[in-house]
Structures are given as C-alpha cells and as structure tokens.
Amino acid sequence: MDKRRPRVPASPEGTRPRLRVVEAAAPKETGPPASAPPQTDDAQGEGTSGRRWKAARSTSRRNRIQRFWQFAEEGNPYTTFWLLLGSALALTVFGLVMVLSATAVESVGTEAGAYGVFLRQATWAGIGLVGMFLVAVMPRGWLKKLAWPAMALGVLGLALVLTPLGYEVQGNRNWIAIGPINGQPSELAKIALCLWTGLVLARKGPKVRELQHTIVPVIMPGAALIFAFILWGRDLGTALVFGFFLAAMLFVSGTKARYFIAAGITGVVGAVLLALMSPNRTVRIQAWLGINDACSLPQDFCYQSEQGLYALASGGFWGVGLGQSRQKWNYIPEAENDFIFTILGEELGLLGALTVLLLFAALALGMFRVASRSSETWVKITTVGIMAWVIGQTFINLAMVTGLLPVIGVPLPFISYGGSALTANLVAVGVVMNFAQTQRLEARERAQSAQGAPAKRAKGAKSSKGSGVNSRRKPATV
C-alpha cells in the first residue's frame, strides 16, 4: 500500500493557488507640473498660517465676549437678589464710615458732638433699610397701585419747596423742613417718576413709537412739572439726573432715535442758557475750562476742586489710613457731601476707591440682570430707570470730583451725607429686589416642575410595563 500523500493535480494555469494579501493602496502622488518648481513648506504656508492664527484669535475673542455677555445678561436668578442686597448694604456701610470720618473733626465742640452727624445719617440708614425690605417683600401689584399716588406726592413735595416750608442751601432752594424733619423732595420724586413712567410706557406698548404718545403724559405734563419746580429752585445738577434716567426709560420702551436727537439738542441749548443766566454757574464753568482767570477771583472757584485732587493724589495706593485725612480739616468745603469720594480716596487709597467702584458695578450688574431676564415691560423699564438714576448720578459725581465736569452739586449715592437721598436710594434698590425675588421664585417653580416631569414619566412607564406583563399571560381555560 502506497502510504504516500496523494498528489494534488495542478491548477489549470499550471501553478499552485496562493492566498492573496490585500494591502491598502497608497494614494498616488501627484506632483506639480514639470514646468513649475517644487514648492517648499515655507512657500506653501506663507499666508495660510497667518490667516489661520488671525481666524482662531478672532473666534476666541468672540467666544470670550459671548461668555461674558451671557454671564452679565443671564447669570443665576438665585444669586441676583443677594447680589443687589449685598452691594447695597456694603455701600451703605462704606457711606456711614466715611461720613463719620469726614465730620467727626469739624463737629468736635458743637452742640451735637463729634458723632451727631453720623447718628443722624445712621438713623436715616435704618429707616431706609426698613423701607427697602418692606418694598422687597411687597406684592408687585401694590407697587403698580402706588405709582400714581407716589407721583402726586412727589410733585406736591416739590411744590412745597416754593412755600415758606422750603429753604435754600448753597444757592439751591430744594429743601423743606417740617418740624424737626428736613429733606429733599426731589429724592422722593425720583422714585415716583421711575414707577409712574414705567407703568405708563408699559401700558402704551408699541404706541410709544408715535410722537404724541411719547410726549403725553410722560413728558407733558408729568416730567415737565418736576423739571419746572427743580429748575425754579436753581438745582441744575438734580435736573440733569432726572433727564438722564428719563431718557434711558424712553429709549428702552422703544422711542424712535430721531426724537432723542431733537431732545438732546434742545437740552444742550437749554443747559447753556441756564448757565449763562446764572453768574455763579457761568464762573464755575469758566473756572473748569480755565478761561477768563476765574480761579484768581476772590471767591476762588477752583479751590474746592483743587483740594479734592490733592486729597486723591496724597492717598496713593494704600491710603493714609482710615480717619487720618489731612484735607478734611476745613480744607475741602462740604467734604461729607459732594466731595466725600476725595476723603475716601485719601484715607483708603486707590484700593478703597476701586472697591467702592466694584460695589457700584455689582449693583449695576444685578439691576441689568433683572431687566434683561424680565418678560414684563413694566419691570424692564422701571429697573432700567432706577439703574440709570443710581449709576448716572454716580458717574456725574465722580466726573465732578476728578475734574472731568464742573462742580454742579450732585452727591454720591449711598456714600454722601444726606438722609433723604440715602433713604431714596435704598428704597429704589428694594423695588429692584422685589423684581429679583419674583424671578427667583419663578425659576424655582420651573426647576421643581422640570424635576417632577421625569418622575411622572418614570411612574407612568412602570405602570405600563406592568400592564404589558399581565396582558401577555395566557387566558385561563374553562
């Protein structure tokens, strides 16, 4: 028996079949035409790398701006309320400390004593804080109902300034005294005009784009009465603050831009005429511009601003120390009022000044978030008006004490001495806190409803699964 392995017949082609290994075919290299010289890497990426770098940098910058804008516009509805409350309380504490530091030296030996001015300011701060919390927890419908009565009281208070109850301070007749209580009715009028204007513009809706609905009744007769009484008392600085936040509210409501151009030209012409009609204002503007040797007059209209700049310059970065200011020793007139920021800069330095500015920025950020997140027109317009009032007045005061604007007598919100002003600022923040509290509750309800929906769906799916199992059972046989 032949135990040899049987011989396999040859294939038809006469060769043994072999396994073929399929390899990935490499792409054919296509080089440049024979006539063109070979390109180097530098020649190929001469402009491409630069364009890619610029595009990447532009995209990164755009993303950073979008992230910042999203942070500023939306934020967290749960923290906006506390952002407003914390910044307002911190600014109030800063103001009380600086009022005590600026007035204790000059008040020594007086009837009220070294702490007299501070105690009055602290009393008004307590009243303002109570009002702020009451307004913050008040139902929103009550704020709407209070808009018209507040407007009537604001106009009535400004009218009382022209009666024997009113008196003049530093050339401006804008104070009233009822028994032991005195204050500025214009501060109450600021809150009243914000609430009332926001309510009226919200009810008008798209009609505000028409000229007649823009003027009546917001400008005529509402704001016109307030401006008339304020200018009658020669308080141009307060009139500028009113005009600033009223323009902001009209802009947000949808008023056409060409109306603002006409109103701006009219306002500038009116301000120039009012300045020329008052010799005191004319000389102050000349001193600010450095013309006609206004600083060499016996009254020395440059003295206050120069001493304020000396105080800011001597503070340095860390400051000379709390309570250690030199300029408050009868060098800066009204150091506790309009020029209190110079004392703050001298004692706390650039670090303290920047801290106060950051607190104002945090307050503005919280108000901006409330306005941007709100879907109700009245809330949006009113919040923008309060924000423009507080931040606009802050800008005017800081520009005044640093020499960017002439001295026009506008106090610094929350910091300057003045009980009625501090109370009005705190109550205004309380109005915005009311809106922020409502948004926080709405966000909590949405979160709870979103959490409850998956649970309901899971429960429904479980019951349907059980019913499916039961349906698959074999029916019982009889």
Side-chain angles (χ1 to χ4, degrees):
M1 180 177 181
D2 190 2
K3 296 183 179 181
R4 291 180 299 177
R5 185 174 300 177
R7 186 175 182 180
V8 180
S11 60
E13 292 80 8
T15 58
R16 291 186 65 180
R18 297 179 181 177
L19 296 177
R20 292 180 299 173
V21 179
V22 180
E23 298 180 357
K28 297 182 180 180
E29 297 182 0
T30 56
S35 58
Q39 296 181 357
T40 61
D41 294 341
D42 295 339
Q44 291 178 355
E46 181 178 357
T48 305
S49 60
R51 287 192 295 269
R52 288 178 179 175
W53 180 79
K54 290 181 180 179
R57 188 170 183 179
S58 177
T59 303
S60 177
R61 188 186 303 113
R62 192 183 308 112
N63 292 335
R64 286 197 301 268
I65 294 174
Q66 290 178 354
R67 287 195 299 269
F68 173 77
W69 186 256
Q70 184 178 6
F71 166 78
E73 189 175 12
E74 297 181 3
N76 190 344
Y78 297 99
T79 60
T80 303
F81 179 88
W82 303 109
L83 181 65
L84 293 169
L85 177 62
S87 57
L89 291 179
L91 287 171
T92 303
V93 172
F94 260 99
L96 291 175
V97 172
M98 295 315 304
V99 166
L100 175 61
S101 176
T103 59
V105 172
E106 297 181 358
S107 300
V108 172
T110 60
E111 182 179 356
Y115 300 98
V117 178
F118 166 74
L119 292 177
R120 284 198 300 269
Q121 185 75 351
T123 303
W124 281 107
I127 296 173
L129 289 174
V130 172
M132 180 181 72
F133 285 110
L134 288 178
V135 173
V137 300
M138 183 182 298
R140 186 184 299 182
W142 291 16
L143 291 177
K144 291 184 178 180
K145 294 179 181 178
L146 289 175
W148 284 90
M151 185 66 178
L153 287 176
V155 175
L156 178 62
L158 291 173
L160 291 177
V161 174
L162 306 179
T163 65
L165 294 176
Y167 62 96
E168 185 175 319
V169 175
Q170 298 294 331
N172 296 335
R173 188 179 179 88
N174 53 0
W175 292 77
I176 60 172
I178 302 177
I181 302 176
N182 57 359
Q184 291 180 289
S186 58
E187 300 298 331
L188 173 62
K190 291 176 182 177
I191 303 177
L193 187 60
C194 286
L195 293 174
W196 179 78
T197 303
L199 183 62
V200 172
L201 293 177
R203 289 180 176 177
K204 285 181 176 292
K207 294 182 179 180
V208 76
R209 296 182 61 84
E210 302 175 8
L211 181 60
Q212 63 271 21
H213 289 283
T214 301
I215 296 177
V216 180
V218 173
I219 298 179
M220 292 289 296
L225 284 174
I226 293 178
F227 276 98
F229 287 122
I230 291 175
L231 294 178
W232 194 302
R234 301 183 298 275
D235 193 356
L236 183 58
T238 303
L240 290 177
V241 176
F242 270 91
F244 187 80
F245 74 77
L246 181 62
M249 298 178 76
L250 290 172
F251 178 79
V252 172
S253 64
T255 305
K256 293 183 179 179
R258 61 173 176 265
Y259 300 152
F260 289 100
I261 297 175
I265 295 174
T266 305
V268 171
V269 173
V272 171
L273 292 177
L274 290 173
L276 295 177
M277 291 170 58
S278 173
N280 184 28
R281 296 194 192 105
T282 302
V283 176
R284 286 186 179 276
I285 294 176
Q286 291 176 353
W288 173 60
L289 296 175
I291 58 177
N292 295 337
D293 294 332
C295 295
S296 61
L297 295 175
Q299 293 85 353
D300 196 0
F301 288 94
C302 299
Y303 177 80
Q304 188 179 25
S305 58
E306 288 178 351
Q307 295 298 321
L309 292 177
Y310 294 159
L312 289 174
S314 61
F317 185 83
W318 300 105
V320 297
L322 186 62
Q324 303 300 318
S325 171
R326 281 79 164 172
Q327 299 301 116
K328 67 183 180 183
W329 291 74
N330 293 321
Y331 286 102
I332 300 179
E334 302 295 328
E336 72 276 10
N337 290 331
D338 302 340
F339 275 71
I340 195 169
F341 187 76
T342 60
I343 306 299
L344 188 148
E346 182 183 9
E347 294 187 349
L348 303 181
L350 179 62
L351 185 62
L354 290 179
T355 302
V356 172
L357 294 181
L358 288 176
L359 289 175
F360 276 111
L363 184 64
L365 178 62
M367 293 182 179
F368 180 76
R369 284 181 177 178
V370 172
S372 62
R373 292 180 62 90
S374 177
S375 58
E376 190 174 353
T377 306
W378 174 68
V379 173
K380 189 183 297 294
I381 297 175
T382 304
T383 305
V384 169
I386 295 175
M387 181 178 66
W389 157 24
V390 176
I391 304 305
Q393 184 169 332
T394 301
F395 172 78
I396 293 175
N397 178 270
L398 297 180
M400 180 184 68
V401 300
T402 54
L404 299 178
L405 288 177
V407 179
I408 53 179
V410 175
L412 183 62
F414 299 99
I415 308 296
S416 296
Y417 172 71
S420 56
L422 178 59
T423 303
N425 293 327
L426 290 173
V427 173
V429 174
V431 173
V432 185
M433 288 170 57
N434 187 301
F435 302 152
Q437 174 71 3
T438 304
Q439 293 179 1
R440 185 175 65 166
L441 295 178
E442 292 175 353
R444 181 181 299 174
E445 292 177 358
R446 288 194 299 266
Q448 291 177 354
S449 62
Q451 291 177 359
K456 292 181 180 179
R457 287 196 298 268
K459 184 177 181 181
K462 183 177 180 181
S463 61
S464 62
K465 182 178 179 181
S467 61
V469 172
N470 294 334
S471 63
R472 288 194 297 268
R473 291 179 181 177
K474 295 181 179 180
T477 57
V478 180

